[in-house]
Amino acid sequence: MSAKTRQRLVRLLSIAVTSGLLIVLVERVEWGEFDKLLARVSLLGWCAALLAYLALNLLRALRFRVLLGGEVSPWRLLIPITFYHNFLVRALPFKLGELSYIALLRSRLNYSMEAGVSSLFGARLLELLIIVIVFAASILSSAEQLAGQRDELLIAVALTFVGSALALYYGGALVGRLHKLLRPLLLRHDNRLARLLQTRLIQLADELDRIRQPRLFFSALLISCFTYTCSFLTNYVLLRDLGLTVDLPAAIAIISIGMFASAFPFTVSGFGVVEAAWSFGLMQLAGWSESDATATGFLLHGFQLFAAAIYGLAGYLLIQLSPEASSTRGG
């Protein structure tokens, strides 16, 4: 199967998943009551959520700056690029928005494509690591049936976090070792799939090796903890106004489910999957009705798009005011 055929199949699957979920979810909502749901959020709540979202994107820019090497990345361009990239990731289908970050780093800041891919790849892995670990800890903290083993389980989660962070730090060497083990087998089956797998393993090892610097890695990991906090606050202030009354671990679990859904690959701009994730979390962990939970999912996803569009427009205008780079550096 050619690469173009696989790409078409993935896109068709994404459209089918998105369309199917949206059809089901739209039918669950009592749209005549949606204006009342919006009215529950105070002006202060909207403003607080916008400020938390602003802080989230500023911290993302800081993490990119760290992963790119620090001082050589000027704030006046890296912040607008991050704002615009974040908007395109949310607005464009099939994850096409991710390419904007790499292209803008190359045209505006002279970074090579390899540096752009590496910093983006590292940021995504760190973000996913924090979400998964925090979600696991919150579930264990809020599960009544696990109360007797809670301390032991939380220690296990902490050890898993440390182990995962170390595995990510030494990921390049581990993938390189895996490639050496598989290379004789792949050479024995010299076909397109084997060559593609070899290429992907080498690329993955190279990308992971770029972040194996103690100061860089642990700075980016710490910043990722703060980006999670800002993302949590963005949604939490809105959910509190909408009537969420669960304890903090359950709120963390609900919001982590919503965050995790945005990384789901087979979807068009997250539509359907994100709303379904919010609906599931609010129904299962907060006891909300199907209609309220689903409507809240649409509201939260809509707010994310609205906030991303505001800051993305500001980023786009600032980018247009800057000249294009004339040469490329490696980062």
Side-chain angles (χ1 to χ4, degrees):
M1 187 184 296
S2 68
K4 286 186 177 180
T5 302
R6 286 197 301 270
Q7 190 178 59
R8 289 194 190 100
L9 288 175
V10 169
R11 291 184 176 183
L12 287 173
L13 177 60
S14 300
I15 292 170
V17 169
T18 300
S19 301
L21 284 172
L22 285 176
I23 290 171
V24 172
L25 293 169
V26 166
E27 291 179 347
R28 290 181 178 180
V29 179
E30 296 178 10
W31 293 103
E33 305 291 320
F34 195 76
D35 57 335
K36 295 180 182 178
L37 185 72
L38 286 171
R40 292 183 197 172
V41 184
S42 65
L43 179 60
L44 181 61
W46 292 118
C47 293
L50 280 171
L51 285 174
Y53 197 81
L54 173 62
L56 166 64
N57 285 289
L58 290 174
L59 285 167
R60 282 175 172 164
L62 176 60
R63 182 173 57 195
F64 281 138
R65 191 170 192 246
V66 168
L67 291 171
L68 286 167
E71 295 76 11
V72 294
S73 307
W75 284 113
R76 65 181 181 83
L77 279 176
L78 192 55
I79 289 175
I81 287 172
T82 304
F83 283 6
Y84 188 47
H85 163 248
N86 178 65
F87 166 64
L88 292 180
V89 167
R90 292 192 172 277
L92 295 181
F94 315 121
K95 302 294 182 181
L96 294 176
E98 297 286 22
L99 300 176
S100 64
Y101 169 76
I102 300 168
L104 287 169
L105 278 187
R106 187 176 179 84
S107 65
R108 305 292 174 170
L109 288 174
N110 288 330
Y111 278 104
S112 67
M113 184 177 70
E114 290 78 10
V117 171
S118 176
S119 59
L120 181 61
F121 185 74
R124 290 289 177 257
L125 281 180
L126 289 167
E127 206 162 67
L128 188 59
L129 172 64
I130 298 297
I131 292 173
V132 171
I133 294 297
V134 172
F135 171 70
S138 64
I139 286 290
L140 294 177
S141 298
S142 59
E144 295 180 3
Q145 62 270 32
L146 299 175
Q149 298 84 32
R150 187 167 295 166
D151 292 341
E152 293 85 350
L153 290 170
L154 289 176
I155 290 173
V157 170
L159 292 175
T160 302
F161 173 75
V162 173
S164 300
L166 289 173
L168 181 58
Y169 182 76
Y170 292 104
L174 293 173
V175 173
R177 185 70 58 86
L178 176 63
H179 175 250
K180 287 182 179 180
L181 291 174
L182 293 177
R183 193 166 183 269
L185 178 63
L186 295 172
L187 290 175
R188 213 166 22 238
H189 299 80
D190 189 19
N191 52 41
R192 181 178 296 180
L193 179 60
R195 291 193 293 271
L196 178 63
L197 182 56
Q198 279 205 80
T199 302
R200 290 289 184 265
L201 286 173
I202 293 170
Q203 289 175 343
L204 179 59
D206 289 342
E207 288 167 8
L208 288 171
D209 271 335
R210 291 174 183 271
I211 62 174
R212 196 170 66 183
Q213 303 173 46
R215 183 177 178 182
L216 178 153
F217 179 82
F218 290 105
S219 295
L221 184 62
L222 179 62
I223 294 167
S224 296
C225 294
F226 287 109
T227 61
Y228 176 91
T229 302
C230 290
S231 187
F232 171 82
L233 290 173
T234 299
N235 294 290
Y236 186 67
V237 295
L238 297 177
L239 285 169
R240 289 287 294 180
D241 274 6
L242 291 169
L244 186 71
T245 57
V246 298
D247 58 14
L248 185 60
I252 291 173
I254 291 168
I255 293 172
S256 296
I257 293 172
M259 290 183 197
F260 190 74
S262 62
F264 187 77
F266 303 114
T267 181
V268 179
S269 304
F271 288 108
V273 175
V274 172
E275 289 84 357
W278 283 114
S279 178
F280 173 80
L282 290 167
M283 289 170 62
Q284 297 299 319
L285 298 174
W288 284 22
S289 68
E290 186 177 72
S291 176
D292 284 350
T294 307
T296 298
F298 278 104
L299 187 151
L300 292 173
H301 193 193
F303 172 79
Q304 296 271 350
L305 289 169
F306 172 73
I310 290 177
Y311 296 124
L313 176 61
Y316 173 78
L317 294 175
L318 290 172
I319 290 169
Q320 295 307 306
L321 295 174
S322 67
E324 293 200 9
S326 57
S327 60
T328 303
R329 64 173 171 235

